[in-house]
Amino acid sequence: MVSRMFRLVTEVDRTRRDLLRTRLRETNTTASSVLRALRDTPHEREFPLHVWVLDDDRGALAGGLVGHTWATWLHVTYLWVDDRYRGTGLGSALLAEAERTARDERACAAARVETWDFQAPDFYRRRGYEVVCVIPDYPPGVTEYTLVKRLE
């Protein structure tokens, strides 16, 4: 039970969010020698990694990958290919370029991605990713997979 000395507030507050993030980071780096060792290194912060494919004829978006690197990991947030180009190898090329950039230019050793059962778990498996987590019914009726891959 929360004492009368406190009040619970359920509002979006960016200032408090940033303060909370800072304090959590301080707590985590105090508790973890691994996170402490990342301080003041290029791997301490998230760096965006985006790869785009534009249609030559129209300049329209044919596909893309949005992710970031952090702590020697590539995290793939979004990978999408327009229906007209699916099955052409475009998704594989996007992923390969992101992995190459992460490995060769940012010294990443591994990659991770979350995907749903109706999206692309088999796509990632065929490219060397292994399932490390399965969450059924997230959201209800859907299964979420977390997959990882060593970048060598």
Side-chain angles (χ1 to χ4, degrees):
M1 181 171 154
V2 176
S3 134
R4 292 177 194 236
M5 294 173 47
F6 301 100
R7 109 186 116 96
L8 294 176
V9 179
T10 57
E11 63 188 25
V12 174
D13 184 316
R14 287 185 174 90
T15 302
R16 288 183 186 138
R17 179 205 59 201
D18 293 346
L19 177 60
L20 182 79
R21 185 181 329 169
T22 298
R23 289 186 179 169
L24 181 59
R25 182 173 172 248
E26 290 167 359
T27 300
N28 290 345
T29 56
T30 298
S32 169
S33 61
V34 173
L35 293 176
R36 196 168 37 258
L38 289 174
R39 294 297 291 261
D40 301 319
T41 73
H43 298 293
E44 176 183 27
R45 300 228 183 271
E46 291 181 4
F47 289 99
L49 196 159
H50 298 182
V51 182
W52 308 106
V53 176
L54 304 179
D55 182 317
D56 281 337
D57 296 335
R58 302 174 298 137
L61 183 64
L65 182 148
V66 171
H68 66 269
T69 57
W70 173 76
T72 72
W73 280 78
L74 164 64
H75 186 158
V76 176
T77 308
Y78 308 121
L79 191 155
W80 174 84
V81 174
D82 188 284
D83 287 339
R84 292 173 289 175
Y85 305 108
R86 292 197 180 150
T88 66
L90 197 55
S92 296
L94 287 162
L95 186 59
E97 180 59 18
E99 291 172 350
R100 185 204 62 76
T101 300
R103 182 188 60 243
D104 298 347
E105 298 176 20
R106 301 188 186 183
C108 289
R112 66 173 284 170
V113 63
E114 294 87 26
T115 189
W116 288 322
D117 56 2
F118 64 87
Q119 289 179 320
D122 291 335
F123 168 83
Y124 291 105
R125 283 187 190 114
R126 287 191 300 271
R127 280 141 196 90
Y129 285 73
E130 296 179 20
V131 174
V132 295
C133 179
V134 177
I135 305 173
D137 234 17
Y138 182 76
V142 175
T143 299
E144 181 181 86
Y145 294 86
T146 300
L147 299 97
V148 298
K149 176 183 178 179
R150 302 303 302 164
L151 300 179
E152 302 175 55

